Structure formats: structure tokens, C-alpha cells
Amino acid sequence: REQFRRDVLHGLRQPQKSLPSWYFYDDTGSQLYQQITGLPEYYPIASETHILTTLSPSIVAAHFLPSTPFSSGPVLPDPRARAPSGVFNVIELGVGDGRKSAILLRKLLEEGVRFRYVPVDISRVAVRAAVEGMERRFGGQEGFECHGLVADNLEALEWVRRNEPDGRNFVMFLGSSLGNYTPAGATEFLRKIRDSLNEGDQLFMGLDLLKDPSVLIPAYSDSLGVTAKFNLNLIHRINRELQGNLDVKDFQHHASFNALTGAMESFLLAKRAVRAEIAGEEVAFKTYEAIHVECSQKYRENEVGQMAEAAGFELVCNYKDTQGWYLDTVWKVTAP
């Protein structure tokens, strides 16, 4: 809570006010985000679900099953093979409701791959829901274990490395969450993931591709106003946890596409001049002054290999949806 206080007061004292987007995800925020993922405008979920539904056999064969060399040509997955001895740690960072990851886990079980599913989130409610959901789907099936972690992403990876050293790690970072970082911040974060993994471990990550703003903007400003509630929940959280007296009715949600950076950006706008207290300190807002609360970077496919190399990974392959709106990329940790 002390870090939350420092970040909020620091961000609201800057000439361009801002708040870190990860503070959206208290228990209420996590529940609202799950509602967003079911909205028709929010295409990333449908796009990534399509990839996992149609390509999970290829994904499992390429990244979990052993390969059989042929006398000529490339090394291809042997459909008769089963995973070698040992257990995979399938670690999902920033867990959602489990619908997408369950598609891949079901295919792993069909192919006889033994694994521990490790859902990770800072929200205890989200982790508990993920564990209970996967236990309902797969509990009791041979080869399936489930251990949730309430922690931030990097803390969780360090915990797994210390406590589950026998497993090979397959880290899932779905939903294009990487886009919430600046390009430099994304590289730094990915390097930290790389440093938390072992040689041969893999990162399976969703990336939202650059596309027409007429598709992008409704995904971040839906007609039902759920995204607005999600962003405005940050005001409620500040009031609740930092003894703030902001009136949520004095703020509105605004989303726009930045054509110069290729990112969707979200703001909270003060609808009038506001003076309030947060954690015993005064803050002030001018009429229609903006608080920057989210940046969602979009990517070009030809940038992905460069991103992997900059973070110390090797790009293995990309899986794209049929519309070309979204891709899941697989990177591998190689020896330095």
C-alpha cells in the first residue's frame, strides 16, 4: 500500500499526470476486466482463442513433444511420440478466466504431457478463480497438477525456479499484456523474464498487431461503458485504500489512437476543476486535465524477431489468426 501511495502522489504531481496501469487490477478491476474480455468490440480475446483452438495441436507438437529426425529435410514432430520423462511448469502470468489457457492444457493432457499449471496474479480472487476453474475442468486427470501463486510476475518466476527446479518452464503471457509497457520498458521486463528462466525454457506471448483505428478504438471504449467503469475503478481504489475524497462523477474515460507511436492510449479526464485530498495531501486538477492511465502498444510482425533478440531470447515461431490482427509468438532461452 505504501508503494501505491508513493506512485499515486508522484504521478499526480507531474506536469503530465499519470498513474501506472497495473493498479487497475485490484479484485474489482480484475472482475471488470473479465467482463471486458467478453465484449464483442474486444477482438483480442476472440483472435487469440481462434489461434489456440485451431493451432493447439501444432503448438503442443512443436513445443512439448519430442521430435523424430528423418533421413532428409527438417526435424518434424512425431505424432506417435509422447512427452519425455519430467514435468512442465506451465506458468500463466496475469491469469484471466482460464478459457484460453484451458484449450492448450486440454490438448497437453490428450497428448500425455505431464504438467503443473501455475496461474499467477496479484489478485487473490483471480488466482482462486483460476485454480478452481482448472480443477473443475481437469482435476483428477493423470498428469495434471495446479498450484496458484498470488504475486507479481517476476516474483512468481523466481518462486518457481527455487521451488520447482525439476520442471521445464513454458511461460504464457497471453492477451497482449506486453503492450502496457513502453517499448523500452517492455524490453527491460522481457530481459528480467529471460533472467528468471533456464536454458531451453520457452515464452509463449500474445501480441496485438497494428491495424485500422476503426477496429482499435471501440475495443478500448465499448458501447456498454464497461471499459469506462474499469478505468474509473482506479478512482474508487484511491479513495478506499488511500483515504481519498475524489468524486468519481468528476472524471470521465477517454480512449484514443496515437498514430505516431502505434499505441492505444486511455485517460481519465477531470470534467471540472477539482481540489481533493489523497493520503492527507492535496491534489488539484484543471478542467479537462488528463490523467494518462494506459498505453497499449500495437506491433508489426516483422518487429517480433528484433524484440526477442533485444531481450536475449531466440524467436522460434509465430502463430497468427486468419484476419492477421493478432499473433502468439514463441521464444526460447538459449545459452548466452
Side-chain angles (χ1 to χ4, degrees):
R1 183 167 294 187
E2 176 59 23
Q3 186 64 51
F4 182 38
R5 184 190 72 83
R6 287 199 299 266
D7 288 345
V8 167
L9 291 175
H10 173 76
L12 295 182
R13 287 171 176 153
Q14 301 307 303
Q16 167 58 73
K17 290 179 169 61
S18 66
L19 294 171
S21 61
W22 54 83
Y23 288 124
F24 283 139
Y25 297 95
D26 63 351
D27 290 342
T28 300
S30 294
Q31 292 167 5
L32 285 167
Y33 180 71
Q34 291 311 311
Q35 293 180 37
I36 290 171
T37 64
L39 296 170
E41 298 100 326
Y42 197 71
Y43 65 85
I45 297 299
S47 297
E48 194 162 42
T49 299
H50 172 79
I51 292 170
L52 291 166
T53 300
T54 58
L55 299 178
S56 61
S58 299
I59 294 168
V60 170
H63 308 293
F64 290 89
L65 299 181
S67 299
T68 301
F70 290 79
S71 57
S72 62
V75 176
L76 300 173
D78 181 354
R80 300 163 299 175
R82 288 295 179 265
S85 60
V87 175
F88 282 91
N89 297 315
V90 179
I91 306 162
E92 184 171 8
L93 304 181
V95 65
D97 62 8
R99 286 177 293 175
K100 292 185 295 183
S101 46
I103 298 167
L104 185 61
L105 301 189
R106 184 173 290 107
K107 190 62 182 177
L108 289 174
L109 290 170
E110 289 174 0
E111 295 296 334
V113 178
R114 297 172 57 217
F115 63 90
R116 303 181 188 95
Y117 173 61
V118 185
V120 175
D121 204 282
I122 58 173
S123 166
R124 187 174 300 276
V125 170
V127 171
R128 181 167 58 244
V131 170
E132 292 174 352
M134 292 305 182
E135 289 289 353
R136 283 195 300 271
R137 291 179 176 99
F138 307 123
Q141 295 192 40
E142 184 178 356
F144 171 76
E145 298 177 37
C146 185
H147 306 290
L149 289 178
V150 180
D152 73 28
N153 293 328
L154 297 174
E155 289 173 344
L157 292 175
E158 287 294 337
W159 188 94
V160 171
R161 185 160 68 171
R162 289 195 308 269
N163 293 278
E164 305 287 0
D166 58 313
R168 291 161 293 168
N169 298 313
F170 186 86
V171 179
M172 297 193 298
F173 194 39
L174 304 179
S176 199
S177 298
L178 186 72
N180 295 141
Y181 293 85
T182 65
T187 299
E188 180 183 2
F189 173 67
L190 291 168
R191 284 175 178 163
K192 289 178 179 178
I193 289 181
R194 163 66 178 80
D195 293 342
S196 300
L197 299 175
N198 303 312
E199 185 178 350
D201 289 348
Q202 299 171 91
L203 173 65
F204 183 88
M205 182 168 59
L207 296 174
D208 195 6
L209 298 176
L210 196 60
K211 61 185 67 64
D212 193 315
S214 66
V215 177
L216 290 169
I217 292 172
Y220 292 83
S221 190
D222 64 277
S223 58
L224 294 178
V226 181
T227 308
K229 289 181 182 178
F230 173 71
N231 286 1
L232 289 165
N233 179 62
L234 193 49
I235 301 293
H236 290 299
R237 183 177 183 183
I238 289 171
N239 287 343
R240 184 177 63 253
E241 297 186 21
L242 301 180
Q243 296 76 53
N245 62 356
L246 296 164
D247 188 340
V248 72
K249 296 177 183 176
D250 289 335
F251 295 86
Q252 68 182 57
H253 163 68
H254 175 72
S256 61
F257 175 67
N258 188 329
L260 297 178
T261 63
M264 282 297 303
E265 296 182 314
S266 294
F267 303 86
L268 293 176
L269 303 181
K271 294 189 286 187
R272 65 177 184 87
V274 172
R275 303 190 78 86
E277 282 194 359
I278 297 173
E281 301 195 28
E282 187 176 274
V283 294
F285 304 86
K286 301 172 186 175
T287 303
Y288 287 105
E289 186 172 11
I291 309 170
H292 187 275
V293 292
E294 184 181 21
C295 177
S296 186
Q297 187 67 46
K298 308 308 171 188
Y299 302 93
R300 295 180 175 89
E301 186 175 2
N302 62 7
E303 298 170 340
V304 176
Q306 300 166 15
M307 292 166 57
E309 183 177 357
F313 286 89
E314 175 186 313
L315 172 63
V316 178
C317 63
N318 293 327
Y319 299 94
K320 247 191 334 185
D321 71 318
T322 53
Q323 292 176 294
W325 285 359
Y326 195 95
L327 68 78
D328 284 305
T329 185
V330 182
W331 300 355
K332 183 171 66 173
V333 177
T334 56

